[in-house]
């Protein structure tokens, strides 16, 4: 069964970040209705300011939810019932210390924000997708999971979990009409990254809108062979 080309219900987590805002704009431009969960008031305020029209028209719904908990994930999934697309984009980065110097609390924080949120949201939407016989999940991975650079073990391990989740979910759902993929960006051209690495070659970085185009394509029927 093919997915509709527009008017779908899409959940974009991490929607206040640079890539998240690009994803939000891309799906709204395609005519989809989008749910963006938030937990910090500043995140909500930024989206409200940028997407006031979509909010007023009911094409965008903001819902306060801790996505690392089943209750928060369910709240996001139920904000607009019938989600056909989930973009697991919420995440966080921390690093700079060796494995033996990294506190266990940091390991737990990286796991909670990067992997647990993706697991909880997938658990919340997959049953409905299975019942409808269609759906797409796109996770945001990281090259750090493959490169395993010194000082980044907690973050890399969490993102490696996201990659394992992606492959396992796809294999579990392969015959169901629900597709699962991940994108693994190189350095994203964001103001925060430019500020953190002012001497880098920005020309080799990827704009968030280009990545959002790929994510949107992976949500569409044309990508079903991927």
């Amino acid at each position: 069964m093919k997915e509709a080309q527009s008017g779908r219900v899409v959940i974009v987590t991490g929607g206040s970040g640079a890539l998240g805002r690009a994803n939000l704009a891309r799906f709204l431009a395609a005519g989809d209705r989008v749910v963006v969960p938030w937990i910090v008031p500043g995140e909500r305020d930024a989206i409200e300011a940028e997407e006031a029209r979509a909010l007023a028209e009911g094409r965008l719904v903001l819902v306060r939810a801790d996505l690392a908990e089943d209750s928060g994930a369910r709240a996001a999934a139920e904000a607009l019932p019938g989600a056909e697309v989930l973009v697991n984009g919420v995440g966080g980065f921390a690093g700079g210390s060796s494995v033996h110097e990294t506190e266990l609390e940091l390991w737990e924080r990286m796991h909670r924000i990067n992997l647990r949120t993706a697991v909880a949201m997938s658990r919340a939407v997959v049953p409905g997708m299975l019942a409808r016989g269609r759906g797409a999940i796109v996770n945001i991975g990281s090259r750090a999971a493959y490169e395993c650079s010194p000082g980044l073990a907690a973050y890399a391990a969490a993102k490696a979990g996201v990659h394992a989740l992606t492959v396992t979910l796809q294999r579990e759902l392969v015959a169901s009409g629900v597709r699962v993929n991940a994108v693994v960006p190189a350095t994203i051209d964001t103001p925060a990254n430019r500020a953190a690495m002012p001497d880098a070659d920005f020309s080799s970085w990827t704009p968030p809108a280009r990545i959002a185009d790929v994510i949107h394509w992976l949500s569409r029927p044309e990508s079903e062979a991927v």
Side-chain angles (χ1 to χ4, degrees):
M1 183 182 295
K2 299 291 186 179
E3 295 173 78
Q5 294 298 303
S6 63
R8 301 171 300 176
V9 173
V10 178
I11 302 173
V12 174
T13 76
S16 64
L19 179 55
R21 293 198 303 273
N23 284 324
L24 172 58
R26 184 66 183 84
F27 282 101
L28 287 174
D32 295 314
R33 294 181 294 158
V34 184
V35 175
V36 176
W38 62 274
I39 194 167
V40 178
E43 298 174 348
R44 177 201 61 204
D45 296 343
I47 298 170
E48 285 181 341
E50 289 189 7
E51 300 293 352
R53 181 175 178 179
L55 276 167
E57 294 173 348
R59 295 185 295 114
L60 170 61
V61 174
L62 304 179
V63 55
R64 185 169 188 170
D66 181 354
L67 302 184
E69 301 296 335
D70 278 335
S71 58
R74 285 196 302 268
E78 294 168 1
L80 283 176
E84 294 188 49
V85 180
L86 168 64
V87 180
N88 277 317
V90 68
F93 172 83
S97 58
S98 61
V99 170
H100 73 279
E101 295 172 322
T102 303
E103 298 291 338
L104 288 177
E105 288 75 12
L106 180 61
W107 287 83
E108 292 173 358
R109 179 155 58 90
M110 290 295 95
H111 176 276
R112 182 178 180 87
I113 193 171
N114 290 294
L115 177 56
R116 181 166 166 144
T117 55
V119 172
M121 282 305 309
S122 298
R123 282 167 45 83
V125 303
V126 164
M129 290 180 174
L130 289 174
R132 290 183 294 276
R134 65 182 184 276
I137 298 173
V138 184
N139 298 324
I140 309 300
S142 172
R143 289 191 350 186
Y146 302 117
E147 296 170 349
C148 299
S149 300
L152 301 181
Y155 174 74
K159 284 299 189 179
V162 172
H163 297 173
L165 170 68
T166 303
V167 174
T168 304
L169 263 180
Q170 172 60 24
R171 289 175 177 173
E172 290 177 350
L173 303 176
V174 65
S176 69
V178 180
R179 295 171 289 110
V180 188
N181 287 285
V183 297
V184 185
T187 304
I188 304 175
D189 191 357
T190 67
N193 281 340
R194 288 193 177 218
M197 296 174 277
D199 298 324
D201 178 9
F202 303 148
S203 66
S204 65
W205 294 4
T206 307
R210 294 286 300 277
I211 302 171
D213 285 341
V214 174
I215 291 170
H216 180 260
W217 179 77
L218 285 170
S219 79
R220 293 168 58 91
E222 296 94 310
S223 72
E224 63 186 11
V226 177

